[in-house]
Protein backbone atom coordinates (compact mmCIF):
# COMPACT_ATOMS: atom_id res chain seq x y z
CA UNK A 1 0.00 0.00 0.00
CA UNK A 2 2.79 2.40 0.92
CA UNK A 3 4.55 1.49 -2.31
CA UNK A 4 1.46 2.43 -4.36
CA UNK A 5 1.19 5.78 -2.55
CA UNK A 6 4.86 6.49 -3.16
CA UNK A 7 4.38 5.75 -6.86
CA UNK A 8 1.19 7.84 -7.17
CA UNK A 9 2.44 11.00 -5.44
CA UNK A 10 5.22 11.82 -7.94
CA UNK A 11 2.82 11.40 -10.85
CA UNK A 12 0.29 13.71 -9.15
CA UNK A 13 2.93 16.32 -8.48
CA UNK A 14 4.07 16.03 -12.10
CA UNK A 15 0.57 16.61 -13.42
CA UNK A 16 0.13 19.57 -11.06
CA UNK A 17 3.39 21.15 -12.22
CA UNK A 18 2.39 20.56 -15.84
CA UNK A 19 -0.94 22.28 -15.29
CA UNK A 20 0.73 25.17 -13.52
CA UNK A 21 3.19 25.58 -16.37
CA UNK A 22 0.33 25.48 -18.93
CA UNK A 23 -1.61 28.11 -16.98
CA UNK A 24 1.51 30.24 -16.66
CA UNK A 25 2.19 29.94 -20.39
CA UNK A 26 -1.39 30.86 -21.23
CA UNK A 27 -1.26 33.86 -18.90
CA UNK A 28 1.98 35.06 -20.46
CA UNK A 29 0.48 34.74 -23.94
CA UNK A 30 -2.61 36.68 -22.87
CA UNK A 31 -0.41 39.41 -21.40
CA UNK A 32 1.57 39.53 -24.63
CA UNK A 33 -1.59 39.90 -26.73
CA UNK A 34 -2.93 42.63 -24.45
CA UNK A 35 0.40 44.44 -24.50
CA UNK A 36 0.32 44.48 -28.31
CA UNK A 37 -3.37 45.43 -28.65
CA UNK A 38 -3.79 48.04 -25.92
CA UNK A 39 -1.45 50.68 -27.40
CA UNK A 40 -3.32 50.44 -30.72
CA UNK A 41 -6.93 49.88 -29.68
CA UNK A 42 -7.00 50.99 -26.04
CA UNK A 43 -8.31 54.48 -26.77
CA UNK A 44 -11.01 53.11 -29.10
CA UNK A 45 -12.17 50.60 -26.48
CA UNK A 46 -12.23 53.33 -23.84
CA UNK A 47 -14.35 55.52 -26.11
CA UNK A 48 -16.86 52.72 -26.74
CA UNK A 49 -17.06 51.90 -23.02
CA UNK A 50 -17.59 55.58 -22.21
CA UNK A 51 -20.37 55.76 -24.81
CA UNK A 52 -22.14 52.72 -23.36
CA UNK A 53 -21.82 53.84 -19.73
CA UNK A 54 -22.73 57.48 -20.34
CA UNK A 55 -25.85 56.49 -22.28
CA UNK A 56 -27.09 53.80 -19.90
CA UNK A 57 -26.52 55.97 -16.82
CA UNK A 58 -28.15 59.05 -18.31
CA UNK A 59 -25.05 61.22 -18.57
CA UNK A 60 -26.15 61.94 -22.15
CA UNK A 61 -29.62 61.82 -23.64
CA UNK A 62 -30.18 58.15 -24.66
CA UNK A 63 -32.78 59.29 -27.21
CA UNK A 64 -29.99 61.10 -29.08
CA UNK A 65 -27.09 58.78 -28.23
CA UNK A 66 -28.54 55.29 -27.67
CA UNK A 67 -26.42 52.67 -25.89
CA UNK A 68 -24.21 50.57 -28.10
CA UNK A 69 -26.12 47.39 -27.29
CA UNK A 70 -29.33 49.02 -28.59
CA UNK A 71 -27.54 50.13 -31.78
CA UNK A 72 -26.06 46.68 -32.34
CA UNK A 73 -29.46 45.11 -31.70
CA UNK A 74 -31.04 47.38 -34.33
CA UNK A 75 -28.24 46.53 -36.76
CA UNK A 76 -28.66 42.79 -36.23
CA UNK A 77 -32.45 42.96 -36.51
CA UNK A 78 -32.37 44.85 -39.80
CA UNK A 79 -29.68 42.57 -41.21
CA UNK A 80 -31.53 39.44 -40.12
CA UNK A 81 -34.85 40.49 -41.66
CA UNK A 82 -33.13 41.63 -44.87
CA UNK A 83 -34.06 45.30 -44.53
CA UNK A 84 -30.45 46.46 -44.95
CA UNK A 85 -29.15 43.78 -47.30
CA UNK A 86 -30.55 45.40 -50.46
CA UNK A 87 -29.21 48.77 -49.35
CA UNK A 88 -25.75 47.29 -48.80
CA UNK A 89 -25.77 45.66 -52.24
CA UNK A 90 -26.87 48.87 -53.99
CA UNK A 91 -24.35 51.03 -52.12
CA UNK A 92 -21.49 48.63 -52.85
CA UNK A 93 -22.48 48.54 -56.50
CA UNK A 94 -22.43 52.34 -56.77
CA UNK A 95 -19.18 52.83 -54.90
CA UNK A 96 -17.51 49.80 -56.50
CA UNK A 97 -18.39 50.86 -60.04
CA UNK A 98 -17.09 54.40 -59.51
CA UNK A 99 -13.93 53.12 -57.80
CA UNK A 100 -13.27 50.64 -60.62
CA UNK A 101 -13.55 53.39 -63.26
CA UNK A 102 -11.22 55.60 -61.21
CA UNK A 103 -8.63 52.82 -61.05
CA UNK A 104 -8.91 51.91 -64.73
CA UNK A 105 -8.51 55.53 -65.84
CA UNK A 106 -6.38 57.03 -63.06
CA UNK A 107 -3.52 54.52 -62.88
CA UNK A 108 -2.70 54.32 -66.63
CA UNK A 109 -3.04 58.09 -67.01
CA UNK A 110 -0.87 58.68 -63.96
CA UNK A 111 1.81 56.29 -65.22
CA UNK A 112 1.80 58.07 -68.58
CA UNK A 113 1.91 61.58 -67.13
CA UNK A 114 4.60 60.66 -64.61
CA UNK A 115 7.00 59.51 -67.34
CA UNK A 116 6.49 62.33 -69.81
CA UNK A 117 7.06 65.75 -68.29
CA UNK A 118 5.62 67.63 -71.26
CA UNK A 119 2.33 65.75 -70.93
CA UNK A 120 2.19 66.48 -67.21
CA UNK A 121 2.86 70.18 -67.77
CA UNK A 122 0.08 70.34 -70.35
CA UNK A 123 -2.54 68.50 -68.29
CA UNK A 124 -1.64 69.53 -64.75
CA UNK A 125 -3.34 72.99 -64.74
CA UNK A 126 -6.73 71.68 -65.83
CA UNK A 127 -6.44 68.67 -63.53
CA UNK A 128 -5.67 70.93 -60.58
CA UNK A 129 -8.68 73.08 -61.48
CA UNK A 130 -10.94 70.04 -61.59
CA UNK A 131 -9.43 68.63 -58.40
CA UNK A 132 -10.12 71.81 -56.46
CA UNK A 133 -13.73 71.85 -57.62
CA UNK A 134 -15.86 69.96 -55.11
CA UNK A 135 -17.78 67.01 -56.47
CA UNK A 136 -20.69 68.00 -54.22
CA UNK A 137 -20.74 71.47 -55.79
CA UNK A 138 -20.82 69.87 -59.24
CA UNK A 139 -23.55 67.37 -58.36
CA UNK A 140 -26.37 69.66 -59.64
CA UNK A 141 -24.45 69.92 -62.93
CA UNK A 142 -24.12 66.14 -63.10
CA UNK A 143 -27.87 65.82 -62.46
CA UNK A 144 -28.66 68.29 -65.26
CA UNK A 145 -26.38 66.45 -67.69
CA UNK A 146 -26.98 62.84 -66.65
CA UNK A 147 -30.35 62.90 -64.92
CA UNK A 148 -31.39 62.07 -61.37
CA UNK A 149 -30.49 58.40 -61.66
CA UNK A 150 -27.64 55.99 -61.07
CA UNK A 151 -25.38 57.56 -63.69
CA UNK A 152 -25.11 60.94 -61.97
CA UNK A 153 -24.46 59.33 -58.57
CA UNK A 154 -21.76 57.04 -59.91
CA UNK A 155 -20.14 59.85 -61.89
CA UNK A 156 -19.99 62.12 -58.83
CA UNK A 157 -18.27 59.39 -56.83
CA UNK A 158 -15.94 58.70 -59.76
CA UNK A 159 -15.06 62.40 -60.03
CA UNK A 160 -13.98 62.52 -56.39
CA UNK A 161 -12.14 59.19 -56.37
CA UNK A 162 -10.18 59.72 -59.59
CA UNK A 163 -7.80 62.40 -58.36
CA UNK A 164 -6.27 60.61 -55.33
CA UNK A 165 -5.37 57.63 -57.53
CA UNK A 166 -4.12 59.81 -60.39
CA UNK A 167 -1.97 62.14 -58.29
CA UNK A 168 -0.54 59.33 -56.17
CA UNK A 169 0.43 57.42 -59.32
CA UNK A 170 2.11 60.48 -60.83
CA UNK A 171 3.99 61.07 -57.58
CA UNK A 172 5.05 57.44 -57.38
CA UNK A 173 6.48 57.48 -60.90
CA UNK A 174 8.33 60.74 -60.37
CA UNK A 175 9.89 59.51 -57.13
CA UNK A 176 11.47 56.42 -58.70
CA UNK A 177 15.21 56.46 -58.10
CA UNK A 178 16.86 57.77 -61.26
CA UNK A 179 19.95 55.69 -60.55
CA UNK A 180 17.91 52.52 -60.93
CA UNK A 181 16.70 53.66 -64.36
CA UNK A 182 20.24 54.60 -65.42
CA UNK A 183 21.55 51.23 -64.21
CA UNK A 184 18.88 49.40 -66.20
CA UNK A 185 19.81 51.35 -69.32
CA UNK A 186 23.46 50.56 -68.73
CA UNK A 187 22.66 46.85 -68.79
CA UNK A 188 20.82 47.28 -72.10
CA UNK A 189 17.20 47.38 -70.93
CA UNK A 190 14.74 48.98 -73.33
CA UNK A 191 11.99 51.47 -72.42
CA UNK A 192 9.34 48.76 -72.04
CA UNK A 193 11.60 46.62 -69.84
CA UNK A 194 12.52 49.62 -67.69
CA UNK A 195 8.87 50.45 -67.24
CA UNK A 196 7.88 46.86 -66.41
CA UNK A 197 10.84 45.96 -64.19
CA UNK A 198 11.77 49.28 -62.57
CA UNK A 199 9.18 52.06 -62.79
CA UNK A 200 6.01 50.07 -62.22
CA UNK A 201 7.23 48.03 -59.20
CA UNK A 202 8.75 51.11 -57.56
CA UNK A 203 5.48 53.03 -58.03
CA UNK A 204 3.18 50.39 -56.55
CA UNK A 205 3.45 51.50 -52.87
CA UNK A 206 2.49 55.08 -53.78
CA UNK A 207 -0.33 53.81 -55.99
CA UNK A 208 -1.77 51.87 -53.07
CA UNK A 209 -1.74 55.00 -50.93
CA UNK A 210 -3.91 56.63 -53.59
CA UNK A 211 -6.16 53.57 -53.78
CA UNK A 212 -6.79 53.63 -50.03
CA UNK A 213 -7.59 57.34 -50.13
CA UNK A 214 -9.92 56.79 -53.08
CA UNK A 215 -11.74 53.94 -51.35
CA UNK A 216 -12.39 56.17 -48.33
CA UNK A 217 -13.48 59.03 -50.57
CA UNK A 218 -15.83 56.73 -52.49
CA UNK A 219 -17.71 55.83 -49.31
CA UNK A 220 -17.87 59.46 -48.16
CA UNK A 221 -19.29 60.66 -51.48
CA UNK A 222 -21.59 57.66 -51.61
CA UNK A 223 -23.44 58.92 -48.54
CA UNK A 224 -23.86 62.38 -50.00
CA UNK A 225 -25.08 60.96 -53.32
CA UNK A 226 -27.61 58.69 -51.61
CA UNK A 227 -28.91 61.44 -49.37
CA UNK A 228 -29.99 63.40 -52.45
CA UNK A 229 -32.56 61.91 -54.77
CA UNK A 230 -32.22 58.25 -53.77
CA UNK A 231 -34.69 55.77 -52.34
CA UNK A 232 -32.24 52.94 -51.70
CA UNK A 233 -28.81 52.64 -50.17
CA UNK A 234 -27.16 52.98 -46.79
CA UNK A 235 -26.98 56.77 -47.07
CA UNK A 236 -30.71 56.87 -47.77
CA UNK A 237 -31.32 54.71 -44.70
CA UNK A 238 -29.34 57.16 -42.55
CA UNK A 239 -31.47 60.08 -43.68
CA UNK A 240 -34.73 58.13 -43.60
CA UNK A 241 -34.07 56.91 -40.06
CA UNK A 242 -33.23 60.45 -38.98
CA UNK A 243 -36.44 61.84 -40.50
CA UNK A 244 -38.49 59.15 -38.73
CA UNK A 245 -36.50 59.55 -35.50
CA UNK A 246 -35.31 55.96 -35.60
CA UNK A 247 -32.05 56.94 -33.96
CA UNK A 248 -30.75 53.40 -33.22
CA UNK A 249 -31.26 52.47 -36.88
CA UNK A 250 -29.52 55.68 -37.97
CA UNK A 251 -26.46 54.88 -35.86
CA UNK A 252 -26.61 51.26 -37.03
CA UNK A 253 -26.36 52.40 -40.67
CA UNK A 254 -23.49 54.73 -39.77
CA UNK A 255 -21.73 51.88 -37.97
CA UNK A 256 -22.26 49.68 -41.01
CA UNK A 257 -20.64 52.31 -43.24
CA UNK A 258 -17.65 52.52 -40.91
CA UNK A 259 -17.31 48.73 -41.03
CA UNK A 260 -17.41 48.74 -44.84
CA UNK A 261 -14.72 51.42 -44.94
CA UNK A 262 -12.48 49.50 -42.54
CA UNK A 263 -13.01 46.32 -44.53
CA UNK A 264 -12.10 48.00 -47.83
CA UNK A 265 -8.98 49.52 -46.28
CA UNK A 266 -7.95 46.18 -44.74
CA UNK A 267 -8.35 44.37 -48.07
CA UNK A 268 -6.21 46.96 -49.85
CA UNK A 269 -3.54 46.71 -47.14
CA UNK A 270 -3.46 42.91 -47.50
CA UNK A 271 -3.22 43.22 -51.28
CA UNK A 272 -0.41 45.76 -50.93
CA UNK A 273 1.52 43.46 -48.59
CA UNK A 274 1.11 40.61 -51.07
CA UNK A 275 2.23 42.64 -54.08
CA UNK A 276 4.92 44.64 -52.28
CA UNK A 277 6.53 41.96 -50.14
CA UNK A 278 9.92 43.25 -51.24
CA UNK A 279 9.21 46.62 -49.59
CA UNK A 280 8.20 45.15 -46.20
CA UNK A 281 10.74 45.48 -43.41
CA UNK A 282 12.37 42.17 -42.57
CA UNK A 283 11.51 40.66 -39.20
Amino acid sequence: MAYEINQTLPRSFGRLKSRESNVSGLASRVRGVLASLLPRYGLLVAFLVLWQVSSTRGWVNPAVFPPLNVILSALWTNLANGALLDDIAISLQRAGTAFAFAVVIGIPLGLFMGQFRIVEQALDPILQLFRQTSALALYPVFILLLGLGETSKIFMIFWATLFPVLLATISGVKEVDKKLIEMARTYGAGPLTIFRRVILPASVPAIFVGLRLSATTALLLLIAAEMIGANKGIGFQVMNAQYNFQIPLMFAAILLLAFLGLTANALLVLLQRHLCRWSQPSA
Side-chain angles (χ1 to χ4, degrees):
M1 186 69 178
Y3 175 77
E4 292 179 355
I5 295 175
N6 290 335
Q7 292 295 321
T8 304
L9 285 176
R11 288 196 295 268
S12 300
F13 283 125
R15 294 193 199 98
L16 182 60
K17 289 182 180 179
S18 177
R19 290 175 184 172
E20 289 178 352
S21 62
N22 290 336
V23 171
S24 176
L26 179 61
S28 63
R29 286 194 294 270
V30 170
R31 285 195 297 268
V33 171
L34 291 177
S36 62
L37 291 180
L38 281 178
R40 185 174 180 85
Y41 300 105
L43 188 60
L44 175 61
V45 172
F47 169 73
L48 296 176
V49 170
L50 178 62
W51 185 330
Q52 176 71 20
V53 171
S54 61
S55 183
T56 53
R57 297 206 171 183
W59 298 347
V60 297
N61 187 356
V64 178
F65 290 100
L68 288 177
N69 63 301
V70 176
I71 296 173
L72 293 175
S73 176
L75 177 60
W76 173 254
T77 300
N78 284 273
L79 287 174
N81 61 24
L84 283 176
L85 294 180
D86 289 341
D87 296 300
I88 294 173
I90 291 173
S91 294
L92 289 179
Q93 181 181 1
R94 289 167 177 161
T97 303
F99 181 74
F101 277 115
V103 170
V104 169
I105 295 175
I107 293 179
L109 182 58
L111 291 172
F112 184 71
M113 291 178 63
Q115 292 184 84
F116 299 98
R117 185 172 179 81
I118 187 171
V119 177
E120 182 193 3
Q121 289 178 340
L123 295 180
D124 185 68
I126 190 169
L127 289 177
Q128 292 297 334
L129 174 64
F130 289 160
R131 185 174 74 91
Q132 298 301 330
T133 305
S134 171
L136 290 174
L138 291 174
Y139 192 33
V141 179
F142 298 153
I143 292 175
L144 290 174
L145 294 175
L146 304 173
L148 192 63
E150 292 299 305
T151 306
S152 60
K153 295 177 179 60
I154 292 173
F155 194 82
M156 185 184 76
I157 301 171
F158 160 77
W159 183 273
T161 55
L162 172 65
F163 298 106
V165 175
L166 176 61
L167 296 178
T169 304
I170 294 173
S171 176
V173 173
K174 293 174 67 175
E175 290 177 2
V176 175
D177 192 348
K178 303 301 181 184
K179 294 181 180 179
L180 295 176
I181 299 176
E182 293 175 2
M183 185 182 300
R185 287 174 180 164
T186 301
Y187 282 98
L192 184 59
T193 303
I194 292 174
F195 171 77
R196 187 166 53 90
R197 295 294 182 88
V198 179
I199 296 176
L200 185 58
S203 305
V204 168
I207 291 173
F208 269 97
V209 172
L211 290 176
R212 292 168 64 184
L213 288 173
S214 288
T216 303
T217 304
L219 289 175
L220 292 175
L221 269 294
L222 171 70
I223 307 309
E226 292 181 341
M227 286 180 176
I228 305 173
N231 55 9
K232 278 290 184 180
I234 304 176
F236 167 77
Q237 287 296 342
V238 173
M239 291 298 296
N240 188 56
Q242 187 264 334
Y243 286 146
N244 295 298
F245 208 72
Q246 297 174 311
I247 305 303
L249 178 58
M250 182 188 74
F251 277 105
I254 295 173
L255 183 63
L256 182 59
L257 283 166
F259 175 76
L260 292 176
L262 291 173
T263 302
N265 184 72
L267 290 176
L268 288 172
V269 169
L270 289 176
L271 182 60
Q272 180 180 0
R273 288 176 179 173
H274 177 72
L275 295 177
C276 305
R277 285 174 290 184
W278 52 268
S279 67
Q280 302 298 321
S282 58

